[in-house]
């Protein structure tokens, strides 16, 4: 494998495992905590997040490098990124609504949630800070989405079993979920030896 | 007098019964991400305090002209404007902390506390009270973060605000400054607060 491709591929796998957007960078916690009760809904949200993350990281890269940098409007990136994300989510929602009713019923309800998911904006901001090229940004967004998907699905599976467990009163809900997330983060740290990105 | 009791209610709710962090579980991302050092946490909470107060104030000022359909867009724009101010000033005056906070300054935009206060309070209340409400929520967020950061830095690095308090005998709990420690610490904090609270409610 040539080195030009090796870097993006490393970024892709690292963003799923070692630098998981949720477990290592704490992003997307709000929807992670509230939607991880059922496996079915978390799969729907996971797919939607992966799709939006991969596409918006691509769009934001293009906007940042071809519009903001040439115009010297670097400091406006927060507003521009969040607008791109919101507009994109809105368009996708409208298209899905027209094209497929079944898909809209299963995915559409999650789309408004995504605009305020900090992981999506986080991916775009990381991509600027780490100075990725186009391919790396896309694979980073895609991998981060998959990593988030993996984490929320695993959590939904564990929480379904947890329903039968006796939990101390103060820990019910958010408390126990955070502890399990901590354990998952601990487990994912085990991947750290394989590859790493900074 | 009526205004006075309202202000008191706003503060007691934000700091206690409906605290944004441990009661409503909002703004968790940054609660976990920036609390490994007290100094960074302090700067971050100042940024959030500034944004949440002023965006509530601004949105309340213009609330009569915001159409309900586009209010999310307007809210995001106003919040993002203040976050950009925070970002630019941090970059200019505290470049080192700005670098360490990384993307989390920008992520104040998606901090659900700010949006939540705008939706729930600022759009239905006069500007002055909204400013106080935003400030109170920011304060509720601030003190929880400072407590968590205090323990994480103390146990994880043996220091407070960068000053060594534990001597050479102390083995740093490296896990505390890494991601799993953040999750555990917040869980324990929620457990303690809810435990004390449930006990109080049970005895009533």
């Amino acid at each position: 494998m040539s080195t030009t491709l090796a870097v993006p591929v490393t970024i892709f796998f690292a963003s799923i495992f070692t630098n998981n957007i949720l477990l290592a960078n704490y992003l997307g916690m709000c929807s992670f905590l509230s939607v991880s009760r059922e496996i079915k809904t978390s799969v729907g949200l996971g797919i939607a997040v992966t799709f939006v993350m991969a596409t918006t990281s691509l769009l934001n890269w293009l906007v940042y490098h071809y519009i903001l940098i040439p115009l010297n409007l670097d400091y406006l990136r927060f507003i521009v990124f969040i607008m791109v994300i919101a507009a994109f989510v809105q368009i996708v929602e409208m298209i899905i609504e027209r094209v497929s009713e079944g898909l809209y019923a299963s995915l559409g309800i999650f789309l408004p949630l995504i605009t305020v998911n900090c992981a999506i904006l986080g991916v775009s901001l990381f991509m600027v800070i780490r100075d990725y090229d186009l391919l790396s940004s896309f694979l980073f967004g895609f991998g981060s989405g998959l990593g988030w998907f993996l984490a929320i699905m695993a959590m939904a599976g564990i929480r379904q079993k947890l329903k039968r467990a006796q939990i101390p009163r103060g820990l019910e809900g958010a408390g126990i979920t955070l502890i399990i997330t901590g354990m998952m983060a601990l487990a994912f740290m085990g991947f750290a030896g394989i590859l790493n990105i900074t | 007098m009526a205004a006075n009791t309202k202000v008191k209610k706003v503060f007691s709710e934000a700091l206690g019964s409906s605290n944004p962090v441990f009661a409503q579980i909002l703004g968790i991302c940054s609660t976990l991400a920036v609390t490994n050092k007290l100094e960074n946490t302090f700067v971050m909470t100042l940024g959030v305090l500034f944004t949440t107060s002023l965006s509530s104030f601004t949105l309340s000022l213009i609330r009569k002209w915001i159409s309900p359909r586009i209010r999310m867009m307007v809210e995001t724009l106003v919040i993002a404007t203040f976050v950009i101010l925070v970002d630019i000033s941090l970059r200019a005056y505290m470049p080192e902390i700005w670098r360490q906070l990384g993307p989390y300054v920008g992520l104040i935009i998606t901090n659900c506390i700010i949006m939540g206060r705008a939706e729930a309070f600022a759009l239905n209340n006069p500007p002055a009270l909204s400013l106080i409400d935003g400030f109170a929520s920011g304060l509720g967020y601030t003190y929880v973060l400072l407590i968590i950061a205090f323990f994480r830095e103390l146990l994880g690095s043996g220091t407070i605000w960068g000053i060594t308090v534990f001597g050479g005998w102390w083995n740093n709990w490296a896990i505390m400054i890494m991601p799993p420690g953040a999750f555990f610490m917040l869980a324990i904090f929620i457990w303690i607060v809810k435990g004390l609270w449930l006990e109080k409610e049970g005895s009533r």
Side-chain angles (χ1 to χ4, degrees):
Chain A
M1 196 191 290
S2 65
T3 43
T4 48
L5 202 60
V7 174
V9 170
T10 311
I11 289 172
F12 176 67
F13 284 105
S15 60
I16 302 178
F17 297 110
T18 49
N19 292 60
N20 187 295
I21 193 90
L22 182 98
L23 298 170
N25 292 316
Y26 323 93
L27 296 178
M29 280 305 289
C30 292
S31 34
F32 177 78
L33 288 175
S34 55
V35 184
S36 61
R37 286 196 187 91
E38 304 283 338
I39 291 188
K40 216 179 144 215
T41 45
S42 18
V43 170
L45 186 63
I47 294 171
V49 164
T50 311
F51 174 65
V52 173
M53 224 180 238
T55 330
T56 54
S57 63
L58 198 68
L59 286 176
N60 279 340
W61 191 91
L62 292 172
V63 168
Y64 186 73
H65 287 270
Y66 288 108
I67 299 176
L68 293 186
I69 294 274
L71 294 178
N72 221 348
L73 291 174
D74 182 30
Y75 63 93
L76 278 181
R77 65 183 183 282
F78 296 158
I79 285 190
V80 172
F81 284 178
I82 197 98
M83 287 296 143
V84 167
I85 292 168
F88 178 72
V89 169
Q90 194 85 52
I91 290 167
V92 169
E93 199 184 346
M94 289 193 307
I95 292 174
I96 290 181
E97 200 179 358
R98 287 281 160 83
V99 173
S100 152
E101 232 158 70
L103 196 63
Y104 184 71
S106 58
L107 261 181
I109 43 166
F110 299 114
L111 286 170
L113 270 179
I114 286 179
T115 315
V116 286
N117 187 329
C118 44
I120 311 269
L121 181 62
V123 163
S124 293
L125 294 179
F126 268 124
M127 148 198 116
V128 168
I129 288 174
R130 291 176 183 165
D131 211 9
Y132 286 156
D133 60 16
L134 183 63
L135 182 62
S136 302
S137 300
F138 174 68
L139 287 176
F140 177 63
F142 188 39
S144 297
L146 286 179
W148 196 86
F149 188 5
L150 188 69
I152 195 171
M153 222 168 62
M155 177 55 84
I158 295 172
R159 281 184 83 169
Q160 285 202 328
K161 294 277 174 203
L162 263 185
K163 279 179 193 158
R164 286 187 221 112
Q166 288 218 314
I167 301 161
R169 281 217 298 167
L171 268 183
E172 279 164 7
I176 192 74
T177 314
L178 282 170
I179 289 185
I180 296 167
T181 315
M183 288 176 185
M184 268 161 64
L186 215 50
F188 270 63
M189 274 171 66
F191 290 118
I194 306 173
L195 27 87
N196 225 336
I197 47 170
T198 44
Chain B
M1 206 56 211
N4 217 340
T5 47
K6 258 191 189 163
V7 169
K8 264 187 195 152
K9 193 170 155 264
V10 160
F11 269 99
S12 75
E13 273 181 4
L15 300 183
S17 62
S18 54
N19 181 283
V21 181
F22 60 75
Q24 301 182 43
I25 322 286
L26 294 178
I28 298 295
C29 304
S30 54
T31 308
L32 296 162
V34 299
T35 50
N36 53 357
K37 275 170 91 185
L38 204 52
E39 200 183 352
N40 293 356
T41 313
F42 183 69
V43 174
M44 178 74 179
T45 56
L46 283 187
V48 171
L49 259 178
F50 173 81
T51 317
T52 187
S53 326
L54 287 182
S55 62
S56 273
F57 178 72
T58 315
L59 284 165
S60 176
L61 268 184
I62 58 171
R63 71 184 187 281
K64 291 198 177 91
W65 294 285
I66 303 176
S67 109
R69 293 181 123 199
I70 54 151
R71 69 172 197 288
M72 292 286 253
M73 272 298 193
V74 178
E75 282 164 17
T76 317
L77 269 179
V78 169
I79 296 168
T81 311
F82 287 114
V83 173
I84 287 175
L85 291 181
V86 171
D87 186 64
I88 293 173
S89 1
L90 277 187
R91 195 182 198 164
Y93 294 108
M94 301 172 185
E96 183 52 29
I97 291 178
W98 177 79
R99 208 183 47 75
Q100 285 180 14
L101 288 175
Y104 297 103
V105 179
L107 287 168
I108 297 177
I109 298 173
T110 50
N111 190 322
C112 346
I113 297 173
I114 303 173
M115 195 78 120
R117 283 338 284 173
E119 283 274 293
F121 200 92
L123 291 181
N124 313 309
N125 284 286
L129 202 58
S130 299
L131 178 73
I132 292 168
D133 176 77
F135 183 74
S137 311
L139 219 55
Y141 169 87
T142 301
Y143 88 92
V144 173
L145 255 77
L146 287 178
I147 293 173
I148 293 176
F150 177 82
F151 285 107
R152 279 186 74 191
E153 195 186 329
L154 185 67
L155 298 174
S157 332
T159 57
I160 295 173
W161 205 282
I163 299 160
T164 314
V165 273
F166 290 157
W169 54 272
W170 174 255
N171 280 326
N172 290 339
W173 300 7
I175 199 78
M176 286 316 283
I177 47 172
M178 288 196 279
F183 292 113
F184 292 141
M185 198 67 216
L186 184 62
I188 293 168
F189 185 83
I190 291 175
W191 190 8
I192 292 172
V193 172
K194 278 200 176 169
L196 290 175
W197 198 351
L198 285 176
E199 237 168 52
K200 228 197 262 169
E201 276 177 9
S203 64
R204 249 177 219 164

